[in-house]
Amino acid sequence: MGNEAAPLLEMRNVSKEFFGNKVLSDINFTMKKGEVIGLVGENGAGKSTLMKILFGMDVIKATGGYGGDVLIDGQKVIFNTPFDAINAGIGMVHQEFSLIPGFTATENILLNREPQKHHFLSEIFGERLNLLDRPEMSRQSEAAIKKLGVEIDPDMMINQMPVGHKQFTEIARELSKTGTRILILDEPTAVLTEHEAEALLAAIKRLSEQGIAIIFITHRLHEILTVCDQVLVMRDGLIVKDVPAGETNVAQIAKWMVGRDVKSDADESREKAAHLLKEEGKPVVMSIKRLWVDMPGETVRDVSLDVNDGEILGIGGLAGQGKLGIPNGVMGLYPAGGHVVFNGKEIKLNSPRECLDADLAFVSEDRRGVGLLLDETLEWNIAFPAMQIHSKFLKKRLGGLVKWRDDKAIANVTKKYVDMLEIKCTNTKQDAKELSGGNQQKVCLAKAFALEPKFLFVSEPTRGIDVGAKALVLQSLKKFNRESGVTVVMISSELEELRQTCDRVAIIANGVVSGILPATAPSEDFGLLMVGHKAEEASNE
Amino acid sequence: MTKIKSTESFGKKLLKLVKNNPVPLMFVIICVICIPLSGYSAGYLIGEIITRIARNSFLIISLLIPIMAGMGLNFGMTLGAMAGEIGLILVSDWKVVGIPGVVLAMIISIPISVLLGWFCGKILNLAKGREMVTSYIISYFISGVYQLIVLYAMGPIIPIKHSSLVLPRGYGIRNTVNLLSMRQCLDNLLAIRIGSVRIPVVPFLIIAVLCFIVVWFKKTKLGQDMRAVGQDMEVARAAGIKVEETRIMSIIISTVLAGFGMVIYLQNMGTLNTYNSHTQIGMFCIAALLVGGASVDKASIGNVFLGVILFHLMFIVAPKAGMNLIGQAQLGEYFRVFVSYAVITVALVMYESKKRRANSLTGLKLAEDQEVAK
Amino acid sequence: MSEDKAVAMNNGNPVMEKIRGFIKSFGWPRLIIALFLISLFIAAPIVGVNFGSSLSNTLMRFGMNSVLVLAMVPMIHSGCGLNFGLPLGIIAGLLGATLSIESGFTGVPSFLMAMLYATPFAVLLGYGYGVLLNKVKGGEMMIATYVGFSSVSFMCLMWLLLPYKSPTMVWGFEGKGLRTTISVDGFYKGVLSDFLKIDIGHLSIPTGMILFFAILAFVMWAFLHTKTGTAMTAVGSNPTFAKAGGINVDKIRILSVVMSTWLGAIGILVYEQAFGFIQLYMSPFNMALPAVSAILIGGASVNKASIPNVIIGTFLFQGIVTMTPSVMNSIIHTDMSEVIRIIVSNGMILYALTRKTEATR
């Protein structure tokens, strides 16, 4: 490598902070013309932030820029907007489709870059009245599709296409841009069928032969081994491994992804083991059978799962695999099908009220959208479900005809939870929207605790909150479980958090349970489950 | 075998036609019932319809561009109508007669329309997702401003020379402005007669040219951008299209066209109801477009003409049919007002509920997949 | 960043900061309208308009319109937006009024019977209207407008066709079809506005009417403090939160629409007894906009409203409507009140529709 000229792309000591939180540090790598780099890592490892820096996304600049240098052809570059990056020959295909549904493939490939014909009216009224040069558009889009080497109909409407063709259209758009030399593909195969994914991998190889360098982000590790020259593994904002793809295997990569030095707290693990022992043989309190949930971006396909009485069960997995869909489906927030039996009684799906009446409770991952009444007081937020479900905090008036809100009782219960969970607020009548993320999360927990449930779903309880609040939230969940005997199912993207808090951890991949392990199992086993290897395979490897 | 298949597909096609076009079909039925009841002759009806196509089509076409840009039915087209009216008031005061008067009125309306359209577009950009109700309120708001200008500023601030236009108190424009000097000057120019039916050739030519321009416009860069913005603002923005600017442009174009349309409309009517002419025009144009089979997010030139014919046929025959049926013309008149509003209501409800229905399909597919996997 | 701002503000003059906060929460347009009204009241005696009679006028109109404005509250609370479909409630009220007269009641009973007759219509129409609005979540306001318009024009047909017989109501020469305006003299004219009326010189206070509004407003206030009322507010504030909390969102929304419709029906009866006439046909058409803008002027937004908003809003709005003609006429000898009313009321609605914070849904 040393005898060659400057590499196509080089990152030197790149780092990034969000509001004092270091999310990337000391990123160094180089990339040659036509090289395919596989970028893997858990959610939150820093992959997308790194790509945002490379693509000049506005959010990076808005949050104070980044440290270190990005070099292209040995020249230092600074991209202020994605358009700068595009001009420098970088193309990015995002996870979510950015296509106009009622346009043809051709129109989408050349969106806002259509070849145009001048005529006398546009001379007078300006460029925007130029006519589109349709034949030239067809020619350019066909050229781009050919370069990609796949079969898509350039005149087909996007909304009539299968998902794979939409993905190809997106890639063809990047290729049609003049001088695209580096292509970033962010989980392009996640939505594809097996067959389509193969076609895409073939296309990646072909593009690399044509000299286009590709950064390929995926969770399907075998794909990386198939097409990539080099593998970059990221963890906690660092590149932990940079190896040629030929010198490694799936199990190793999975281990690098998740394996970190766990502080082994001897006492805690002993306590946990004891608890686990105690729980074994406990009756199943909730049994989920063949559940499907239509939650956009978190589709659950076919989940069957038993939850034991009094345990803390963790549900983990990578983003978009369906772990969040499970509580949302059971609790009736998204359309769902299948069977859920709680305490021997079948729970009707798609009916939040039935679940709540059966003493289930749910702390949603979407604090602002589902969890809180942002424009109302803390008192309302905490007391509302308990008031509606169990008719608490009400005074009967006119012989029980009128159920009057007892504001005093509400204030008291709010005060109790504010003290218990150390919620920082000016007073209990403060609006929920004025609190910080961590305190809002505590309010959501208080709301669930106030229901005094027998069973609690907690979804992403630590997402986006600071370290101190995190510890307190997890601690109080544990306490709630141990002291009140409430069964808790905790869903989280952070495996370590699950392993520390839970008794058992189930991993969801591609909408199904790929395995359940005791929390004490080594993290690389979880890593393999996350990338979709079934439990048996994991134990074999 | 093949024969059975073809009849089946014919039946299916018919069903699809009915399912996709409930509103136009309903109108066909109303008209079929009412025409014999009204007792009007075919010649009379054809003549009336031709007049109304010439009178109204231009106004209705002005609604097409904002629909293309995803801004729904532009209730703010009234703004253009007011600009056209101001043009006509000034032209009648300056005693410019005939075709030069009409052309001058249109020219005067342009800067006013552009200004109002820009204002309307700016406000609608602040109220994304509820453009229609906002544009509807804007039309009321600007109507107040229009009254302020025409009722109080015309005379003391904007000089009006001829007292025949001015209210007896000395300022403000009278309730009706006579446009005799311009009455039907476009319609009569080069008009031809076939039997008892007079065909106003020039308005038809103008409308034909406008249709051509609309079709051409869809092929321009700006037209393409508008379609993109109309379908997905975020994707368009990510591709570098100036979304806000494009939306404002669509409203400005619509407003300017509505201004021209109003001048054509009023030269046919021959009188201007200073304070009322524009208030109903938006509603009638939108109702006609919807009757023609358009929806909130999709409309074509074909919808315009079908709509004008069906809607106005109903409009002509309903009062007479009501008269002959129950002996009260009033009844038919209320009936046609009711139908206009009902059509808009139905179209809006269908549009909103369609948006929500699409979501429920994914769930069914997931359940199906499980069955297959079994 | 917001913390920095707060610190900077704390360092500044506390009084100024308070004023700034007040203006921010009150909103510029409201402030301008309030100042405008105050200046009208100040100018009134100077230009020779009697203060007492202007205030009486304002109070009278306040009483007439306040229930119609109160009809906005339930729907705003449940997140159905501004009730542009108020004419639907008014129609229920008109049906009640005409049926009561048709059945031959006079005096106070005729008013009570009108309310009684109007109720089933209001509940029925409101229920249907609520079901419809649940199908079009997100587009309620536009649909509501056109539901109002369609129903008014449909009732135009009905007023002609329904077999009313009472000679005080039908056209004299044809003997059928209701008149456009029907006098309620001898029926329920003034049953509320003349009840306990207080006259002090030029000032007269329609105590009965204001008391009636006060009772309804109190009931509304009390309702919002019950379990169901709390659920309604939560549905309006965040429907997903309410759903996750086990609330049947659709049912609560329908309830709110029924309440709004019923209040609309009662509102028009109160209006008629003071006005002296029942106005049929196209007259309910434009009654929604003044009520909508009144509550917005009072400080409500597209999804938040309270009883004080109703009181302040109706007073400000009706104050302007009554004061501008008399005062402006005396100053510039021109009656611009109608135009000012149109611009102010629609401008206020536009302001509310375009507010970013209020445009979340």
Side-chain angles (χ1 to χ4, degrees):
Chain A
M1 210 198 298
N3 52 4
E4 282 199 29
L8 177 58
L9 172 72
E10 182 173 3
M11 288 214 175
R12 275 191 204 150
N13 301 321
V14 169
S15 64
K16 170 72 194 162
E17 282 185 10
F18 278 119
F19 311 109
N21 275 346
K22 204 142 199 174
V23 291
L24 281 182
S25 37
D26 204 22
I27 300 293
N28 288 291
F29 73 92
T30 59
M31 194 174 180
K32 287 176 296 201
K33 192 164 173 273
E35 190 176 21
V36 182
I37 289 187
L39 185 58
V40 295
E42 265 190 291
N43 306 108
K47 290 172 306 195
S48 43
T49 308
L50 184 60
M51 291 305 110
K52 277 177 186 158
I53 290 173
L54 181 54
F55 199 54
M57 300 287 261
D58 301 335
V59 59
I60 300 295
K61 205 176 173 213
T63 51
Y66 58 90
D69 296 326
V70 178
L71 293 91
I72 288 190
D73 294 332
Q75 299 288 315
K76 187 179 166 188
V77 288
I78 292 170
F79 302 138
N80 286 320
T81 69
F83 298 106
D84 292 347
I86 290 167
N87 288 336
I90 299 177
M92 180 154 179
V93 177
H94 299 270
Q95 234 168 323
E96 274 142 34
F97 292 134
S98 185
L99 297 167
I100 305 269
F103 275 18
T104 64
T106 299
E107 285 172 315
N108 268 297
I109 288 171
L110 293 165
L111 187 63
N112 206 27
R113 293 181 296 108
E114 299 92 345
Q116 297 163 19
K117 282 188 296 205
H118 290 264
H119 58 88
F120 76 97
L121 279 176
S122 59
E123 302 292 331
I124 305 167
F125 292 109
E127 294 278 299
R128 291 188 89 182
L129 284 183
N130 283 341
L131 280 174
L132 301 184
D133 188 347
R134 292 269 169 187
E136 177 62 16
M137 278 171 73
S138 298
R139 205 191 56 71
Q140 288 188 14
S141 81
E142 270 161 30
I145 294 170
K146 205 170 156 211
K147 202 168 172 184
L148 188 60
V150 290
E151 299 261 322
I152 50 176
D153 179 358
D155 296 323
M156 190 188 251
M157 290 278 188
I158 292 298
N159 52 16
Q160 291 164 352
M161 279 185 183
V163 181
H165 287 196
K166 291 183 189 173
Q167 186 69 265
F168 290 139
T169 308
E170 286 248 13
I171 299 173
R173 174 161 69 199
E174 299 312 313
L175 294 179
S176 75
K177 290 173 183 167
T178 41
T180 298
R181 296 182 295 168
I182 302 173
L183 194 57
I184 308 168
L185 303 177
D186 191 359
E187 292 200 48
T189 55
V191 291
L192 302 188
T193 63
E194 204 86 345
H195 184 72
E196 286 168 339
E198 273 166 29
L200 180 71
L201 296 182
I204 288 177
K205 279 189 180 151
R206 199 166 310 119
L207 291 177
S208 119
E209 279 158 21
Q210 291 169 33
I212 294 175
I214 293 169
I215 298 179
F216 182 41
I217 303 174
T218 184
H219 289 309
R220 301 187 182 178
L221 299 184
H222 62 95
E223 288 174 351
I224 296 243
L225 298 179
T226 321
V227 294
C228 296
D229 304 315
Q230 194 78 10
V231 183
L232 290 185
V233 184
M234 288 188 74
R235 196 173 71 210
D236 297 339
L238 289 163
I239 291 182
V240 291
K241 268 296 180 226
D242 186 351
V243 292
E247 297 172 13
T248 183
N249 59 44
V250 171
Q252 237 179 350
I253 298 176
K255 188 175 172 184
W256 289 328
M257 268 169 69
V258 295
R260 67 200 82 178
D261 311 319
V262 187
K263 286 177 257 109
S264 64
D265 186 330
D267 285 339
E268 198 186 17
S269 68
R270 206 176 308 138
E271 189 256 348
K272 195 182 277 169
H275 188 72
L276 192 66
L277 215 63
K278 210 172 71 191
E279 294 312 315
E280 263 173 21
K282 277 257 178 165
V284 171
V285 69
M286 178 184 277
S287 170
I288 299 170
K289 289 245 146 46
R290 304 198 62 97
L291 179 78
W292 60 258
V293 182
D294 174 27
M295 178 175 175
E298 285 283 343
T299 310
V300 177
R301 287 173 214 285
D302 192 349
V303 161
S304 297
L305 194 62
D306 285 338
V307 185
N308 296 333
D309 195 12
E311 75 172 336
I312 304 184
L313 175 70
I315 298 183
L318 298 166
Q321 300 293 318
K323 64 176 184 302
L324 293 179
I326 297 173
N328 279 293
V330 173
M331 295 303 287
L333 293 183
Y334 285 92
H339 299 282
V340 176
V341 176
F342 178 66
N343 262 344
K345 265 199 339 217
E346 174 107 21
I347 300 269
K348 210 174 120 203
L349 289 169
N350 306 315
S351 160
R353 182 68 198 227
E354 292 244 342
C355 301
L356 294 163
D357 279 341
D359 289 328
L360 307 182
F362 176 38
V363 178
S364 169
E365 71 286 346
D366 185 1
R367 279 200 294 271
R368 302 177 72 82
V370 181
L372 293 170
L373 290 169
L374 290 170
D375 293 330
E376 308 292 345
T377 61
L378 292 187
E379 296 181 1
W380 272 53
N381 272 289
I382 290 175
F384 183 80
M387 178 201 302
Q388 297 295 332
I389 303 299
H390 301 311
S391 293
K392 281 183 193 164
F393 322 126
L394 292 171
K395 280 190 281 201
K396 293 215 167 120
R397 290 282 163 87
L398 301 179
L401 206 64
V402 176
K403 290 178 190 151
W404 192 262
R405 197 167 68 219
D406 186 352
D407 287 332
K408 213 170 184 181
I410 291 175
N412 286 338
V413 75
T414 309
K415 217 165 272 152
K416 180 180 130 195
Y417 284 112
V418 164
D419 293 343
M420 185 177 131
L421 295 168
E422 297 171 26
I423 299 173
K424 289 191 189 70
C425 56
T426 53
N427 62 55
T428 56
K429 291 207 164 43
Q430 202 176 1
D431 279 355
K433 66 177 168 216
E434 292 168 6
L435 298 189
S436 70
N439 285 308
Q440 285 183 343
Q441 184 62 48
K442 291 179 195 165
V443 172
C444 291
L445 279 182
K447 184 181 83 169
F449 290 170
L451 271 169
E452 296 174 5
K454 292 189 186 127
F455 188 105
L456 180 64
F457 278 116
V458 194
S459 195
E460 299 280 14
T462 59
R463 184 192 274 179
I465 69 179
D466 60 78
V467 184
K470 225 177 226 183
L472 204 138
V473 163
L474 293 177
Q475 209 54 49
S476 54
L477 271 175
K478 230 171 176 173
K479 204 172 137 201
F480 192 57
N481 166 265
R482 300 292 191 252
E483 287 175 7
S484 316
V486 176
T487 313
V488 176
V489 173
M490 173 171 145
I491 295 89
S492 173
S493 307
E494 295 199 24
L495 183 62
E496 279 323 301
E497 180 180 302
L498 290 173
R499 292 182 64 216
Q500 278 166 28
T501 317
C502 304
D503 304 314
R504 296 188 301 154
V505 179
I507 301 294
I508 308 297
N510 202 21
V512 300
V513 179
S514 68
I516 305 177
L517 295 172
T520 43
S523 51
E524 50 262 44
D525 289 0
F526 287 108
L528 279 170
L529 290 177
M530 278 187 184
V531 294
H533 281 243
K534 286 276 178 198
E536 313 87 69
E537 299 171 44
S539 50
N540 289 345
E541 273 180 63
Chain B
M1 182 74 189
T2 47
K3 207 175 177 186
I4 292 168
K5 211 174 173 184
S6 75
T7 51
E8 226 179 45
S9 71
F10 177 73
K12 253 187 197 160
K13 255 185 200 162
L14 196 71
L15 202 72
K16 211 173 156 192
L17 191 78
V18 174
K19 231 180 174 174
N20 290 342
N21 304 291
V23 178
L25 278 170
M26 200 175 80
F27 263 74
V28 170
I29 293 166
I30 294 175
C31 290
V32 167
I33 295 170
C34 285
I35 288 171
L37 280 172
S38 72
Y40 284 126
S41 72
Y44 173 80
L45 284 179
I46 292 171
E48 278 292 306
I49 290 293
I50 285 181
T51 312
R52 281 158 195 258
I53 292 176
R55 189 199 292 166
N56 291 299
S57 311
F58 201 108
L59 275 168
I60 302 174
I61 291 171
S62 76
L63 292 167
L64 295 181
I65 305 246
I67 292 179
M68 200 165 94
M71 300 177 82
L73 303 164
N74 181 19
F75 288 83
M77 71 169 283
T78 322
L79 273 53
M82 286 184 250
E85 287 173 13
I86 290 177
L88 280 172
I89 292 171
L90 292 177
V91 168
S92 358
D93 185 48
W94 301 341
K95 294 281 179 243
V96 186
V97 297
I99 290 183
V102 168
V103 173
L104 186 60
M106 286 183 180
I107 291 172
I108 294 169
S109 80
I110 294 175
I112 305 172
S113 292
V114 169
L115 189 73
L116 291 175
W118 176 82
F119 169 79
C120 184
K122 271 275 183 201
I123 293 205
L124 292 186
N125 276 340
L126 290 175
K128 286 187 192 119
R130 46 175 157 210
E131 285 92 350
M132 279 195 280
V133 70
T134 308
S135 70
Y136 165 79
I137 296 293
I138 290 176
S139 73
Y140 276 84
F141 178 73
I142 296 293
S143 181
V145 177
Y146 169 85
Q147 283 186 32
L148 191 70
I149 291 167
V150 175
L151 202 52
Y152 300 103
M154 287 210 173
I157 297 166
I158 302 162
I160 300 290
K161 279 176 283 180
H162 295 89
S163 57
S164 60
L165 283 174
V166 178
L167 287 164
R169 64 178 188 195
Y171 59 87
I173 303 298
R174 283 173 190 265
N175 285 341
T176 50
V177 173
N178 205 324
L179 302 175
L180 264 188
S181 59
M182 282 173 258
R183 182 160 190 266
Q184 305 198 346
C185 61
L186 283 179
D187 303 23
N188 289 330
L189 186 70
L190 299 174
I192 47 173
R193 278 188 174 277
I194 301 171
S196 63
V197 179
R198 186 192 63 170
I199 297 174
V201 175
V202 173
F204 273 121
L205 277 177
I206 295 174
I207 290 162
V209 169
L210 179 65
C211 291
F212 173 75
I213 291 176
V214 169
V215 172
W216 169 82
F217 180 76
K218 282 185 187 168
K219 294 181 181 165
T220 63
K221 174 73 180 121
L222 184 58
Q224 183 82 353
D225 289 354
M226 275 184 197
R227 287 175 56 216
V229 169
Q231 293 197 30
D232 195 323
M233 266 188 256
E234 290 319 309
V235 172
R237 200 193 309 277
I241 296 172
K242 287 177 185 145
V243 173
E244 274 70 24
E245 194 187 293
T246 308
R247 283 162 56 97
I248 292 177
M249 284 297 280
S250 85
I251 293 292
I252 291 180
I253 293 171
S254 170
T255 314
V256 170
L257 289 180
F260 292 176
M262 196 64 186
V263 173
I264 293 175
Y265 176 86
L266 288 172
Q267 65 82 32
N268 175 281
M269 301 295 280
T271 50
L272 161 66
N273 286 322
T274 317
Y275 304 104
N276 291 323
S277 278
H278 55 265
T279 51
Q280 297 281 311
I281 205 79
M283 190 269 286
F284 286 131
C285 289
I286 286 167
L289 184 65
L290 294 172
V291 167
S295 69
V296 175
D297 53 357
K298 207 161 180 248
S300 69
I301 291 172
N303 297 138
V304 172
F305 291 106
L306 182 64
V308 176
I309 293 170
L310 286 176
F311 186 70
H312 283 280
L313 200 56
M314 187 275 299
F315 232 72
I316 300 162
V317 295
K320 198 71 187 295
M323 184 74 183
N324 293 345
L325 198 67
I326 315 187
Q328 274 179 311
Q330 194 72 50
L331 199 68
E333 251 165 59
Y334 284 134
F335 177 72
R336 66 186 193 184
V337 174
F338 164 63
V339 168
S340 325
Y341 285 124
V343 162
I344 301 182
T345 315
V346 169
L348 291 174
V349 169
M350 284 193 331
Y351 168 70
E352 292 288 348
S353 53
K354 196 175 77 186
K355 268 203 291 196
R356 288 159 49 82
R357 208 181 316 136
N359 298 335
S360 62
L361 293 174
T362 5
L364 291 176
K365 195 173 169 300
L366 281 173
E368 230 170 65
D369 285 352
Q370 266 197 15
E371 287 305 310
V372 173
K374 243 184 205 173
Chain C
M1 209 162 92
S2 60
E3 267 173 40
D4 292 350
K5 222 182 199 171
V7 170
M9 273 167 78
N10 281 337
N11 291 340
N13 189 338
V15 180
M16 278 303 289
E17 177 209 328
K18 237 183 193 156
I19 292 173
R20 216 178 299 151
F22 174 73
I23 291 174
K24 208 179 157 202
S25 65
F26 200 62
W28 277 109
R30 279 161 203 136
L31 204 67
I32 291 168
I33 289 165
L35 288 177
F36 180 61
L37 185 65
I38 291 169
S39 62
L40 284 178
F41 271 109
I42 293 170
I46 301 170
V47 296
V49 175
N50 187 295
F51 183 80
S53 62
S54 335
L55 193 62
S56 315
N57 254 330
T58 307
L59 284 176
M60 186 71 173
R61 283 177 150 274
F62 172 82
M64 283 165 76
N65 290 286
S66 48
V67 181
L68 288 170
V69 180
L70 187 66
M72 295 289 140
V73 174
M75 274 176 69
I76 293 180
H77 259 268
S78 72
C80 293
L82 307 168
N83 182 14
F84 286 105
L86 184 66
L88 200 67
I90 293 178
I91 282 167
L94 293 175
L95 280 167
T98 47
L99 284 175
S100 161
I101 292 176
E102 180 76 18
S103 350
F105 293 99
T106 55
V108 176
S110 71
F111 188 69
L112 294 176
M113 284 315 288
M115 280 175 32
L116 199 66
Y117 277 130
T119 303
F121 290 110
V123 171
L124 223 65
L125 290 175
Y127 182 81
Y129 178 34
V131 170
L132 183 71
L133 287 187
N134 278 339
K135 285 193 178 155
V136 297
K137 279 180 201 147
E140 290 101 342
M141 286 193 268
M142 198 66 218
I143 308 262
T145 309
Y146 273 88
V147 164
F149 287 174
S150 318
S151 55
V152 168
S153 47
F154 178 73
M155 285 314 289
C156 287
L157 295 172
M158 290 298 114
W159 300 132
L160 279 176
L161 293 175
L162 290 173
Y164 281 102
K165 289 283 182 302
S166 166
T168 48
M169 294 198 298
V170 296
W171 291 110
F173 44 93
E174 283 184 41
K176 60 175 184 177
L178 292 171
R179 297 180 197 173
T180 42
T181 39
I182 298 162
S183 169
V184 292
D185 214 356
F187 296 99
Y188 52 80
K189 183 169 177 171
V191 287
L192 294 175
S193 51
D194 294 344
F195 180 65
L196 293 177
K197 194 168 176 172
I198 302 168
D199 283 301
I200 313 161
H202 283 286
L203 182 72
S204 76
I205 302 167
T207 321
M209 192 157 60
I210 289 175
L211 212 62
F212 185 77
F213 164 72
I215 293 168
L216 285 179
F218 173 77
V219 171
M220 189 72 226
W221 175 85
F223 170 75
L224 291 174
H225 279 79
T226 62
K227 184 181 168 188
T228 318
T230 310
M232 190 175 283
T233 310
V235 167
S237 190
N238 180 354
T240 333
F241 175 94
K243 188 183 168 194
I247 305 294
N248 187 335
V249 173
D250 283 2
K251 223 162 89 185
I252 295 280
R253 281 167 57 105
I254 290 177
L255 176 68
S256 80
V257 176
V258 170
M259 286 171 67
S260 273
T261 309
W262 184 77
L263 282 171
I266 302 305
I268 194 67
L269 292 175
V270 174
Y271 183 90
E272 284 161 359
Q273 61 80 28
F275 186 59
F277 297 96
I278 301 172
Q279 294 170 296
L280 297 178
Y281 299 96
M282 298 306 269
S283 69
F285 212 83
N286 287 321
M287 296 208 77
L289 288 183
V292 169
S293 47
I295 197 161
L296 292 175
I297 289 171
S301 71
V302 175
N303 50 21
K304 274 237 171 300
S306 65
I307 305 296
N309 293 152
V310 174
I311 297 170
I312 296 171
T314 317
F315 190 80
L316 285 179
F317 186 80
Q318 296 303 333
I320 285 171
V321 171
T322 41
M323 294 297 286
T324 20
S326 47
V327 176
M328 293 288 260
N329 232 338
S330 311
I331 299 174
I332 54 170
H333 304 288
T334 311
D335 180 12
M336 292 173 68
S337 58
E338 179 60 14
V339 171
I340 287 178
R341 191 186 62 78
I342 293 175
I343 294 178
V344 165
S345 60
N346 292 300
M348 195 65 224
I349 300 176
L350 267 189
Y351 172 77
L353 285 174
T354 51
R355 286 292 300 277
K356 269 259 163 62
T357 47
E358 291 162 358
T360 43
R361 253 173 300 122

